[in-house]
């Protein structure tokens, strides 16, 4: 019962996406759980199995596998929801993925977007400095790949790490 209505609606949309939910039976399991989550008598293993597979003989391993698939999809959904709420982490991951795939121009554009975030941020707590450090490391990797002067970036990386460490110690 810790899912908000927003999360429930979001997970329903997520589950109905063919990109994430390849196995239709997993979606059917989720919809059954949503429908009967307050009626415990419908949520026993054999009732669920009968709903999903009809008269096919009950196999516990089949149901356990579906529950594991559903749990995996729930974790993916929660990760996506978390990243939606953390745009700086999202941008850093996107920049890294673009860099890893040799999309240098896009990675550089994403770095500029991240730089703008840091320049406009008014809060410089431990999270800020941690992300600044991760950003400087990523920038260092990209600059190194582009064979540009990386010495000044290394200084920025170390300064971000020092600020992060100090912020953590002071619990800012």
């Amino acid at each position: 019962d810790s899912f908000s209505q927003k999360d429930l609606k979001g997970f329903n949309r997520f589950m109905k996406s063919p990109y994430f939910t390849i196995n239709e039976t997993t979606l059917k399991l989720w919809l059954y759980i949503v429908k009967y989550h307050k009626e415990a008598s419908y949520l026993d293993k054999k009732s669920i199995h009968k709903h999903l597979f009809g008269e096919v003989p009950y196999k516990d391993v089949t149901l356990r596998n579906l529950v594991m698939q559903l749990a995996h999809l729930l974790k993916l959904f929660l990760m996506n929801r978390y990243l939606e709420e953390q745009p700086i982490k999202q941008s850093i991951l996107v920049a890294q993925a673009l860099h890893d795939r040799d999309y240098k121009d896009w990675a550089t554009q994403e770095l500029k977007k991240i730089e703008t975030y840091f320049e406009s941020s008014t809060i410089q707590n431990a999270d800020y400095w941690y992300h600044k450090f991760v950003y400087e490391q990523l920038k260092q990797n990209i600059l190194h790949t582009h064979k540009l002067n990386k010495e000044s970036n290394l200084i920025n990386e170390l300064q971000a790490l020092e600020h992060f460490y100090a912020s953590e110690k002071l619990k800012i």
Side-chain angles (χ1 to χ4, degrees):
D1 283 339
S2 63
F3 251 32
S4 68
Q5 280 301 105
K6 180 182 174 186
D7 286 337
L8 191 58
K9 287 179 183 178
F11 190 56
N12 278 330
R13 282 192 310 274
F14 184 90
M15 286 297 297
K16 291 176 182 176
S17 165
Y19 180 80
F20 293 106
T21 306
I22 297 167
N23 184 342
E24 284 294 317
T25 310
T26 308
L27 174 60
K28 197 172 176 183
L29 171 61
W30 168 247
L31 295 174
Y32 184 83
I33 290 171
V34 168
K35 184 175 183 179
Y36 295 110
H37 75 282
K38 293 189 180 187
E39 300 174 43
S41 62
Y42 289 102
L43 290 179
D44 69 275
K45 292 179 182 181
K46 291 189 179 180
S47 296
I48 293 171
H49 191 277
K50 184 174 176 108
H51 174 77
L52 297 176
F53 302 106
E55 297 303 318
V56 174
Y58 173 77
K59 289 184 181 176
D60 192 60
V61 69
T62 304
L63 198 54
R64 275 190 279 132
N65 285 338
L66 282 173
V67 170
M68 285 182 359
Q69 287 175 18
L70 183 59
H72 175 72
L73 291 169
L74 179 59
K75 290 174 189 177
L76 282 175
F77 169 76
L78 292 173
M79 179 188 65
N80 282 314
R81 184 56 60 109
Y82 176 76
L83 284 175
E84 286 174 5
E85 297 166 356
Q86 302 287 328
I88 191 63
K89 286 181 183 179
Q90 192 177 67
S91 290
I92 289 170
L93 290 172
V94 167
Q96 182 65 57
L98 291 168
H99 171 67
D100 290 348
R101 287 163 179 79
D102 277 339
Y103 295 119
K104 294 175 180 92
D105 293 339
W106 279 2
T108 302
Q109 287 175 359
E110 201 66 29
L111 285 177
K112 289 177 184 172
K113 179 178 162 185
I114 297 167
E115 186 68 33
T116 302
Y117 164 81
F118 287 120
E119 289 170 358
S120 65
S121 182
T122 56
I123 299 173
Q124 295 185 357
N125 58 12
D127 272 351
Y128 170 93
W129 290 109
Y130 170 74
H131 290 110
K132 179 81 169 161
F133 171 67
V134 171
Y135 161 75
E136 294 294 345
Q137 282 185 313
L138 178 60
K139 188 173 161 186
Q140 178 76 14
N141 288 340
I142 291 173
L143 290 175
H144 180 69
T145 301
H146 289 82
K147 297 182 180 6
L148 297 176
N149 182 358
K150 56 184 180 171
E151 189 172 312
S152 65
N153 199 59
L154 184 58
I155 292 168
N156 291 339
E157 188 178 331
L158 291 172
Q159 286 175 337
L161 183 59
E162 287 174 354
H163 283 98
F164 168 67
Y165 179 76
S167 298
E168 276 295 297
K169 287 295 179 188
L170 296 172
K171 289 294 182 196
I172 295 178

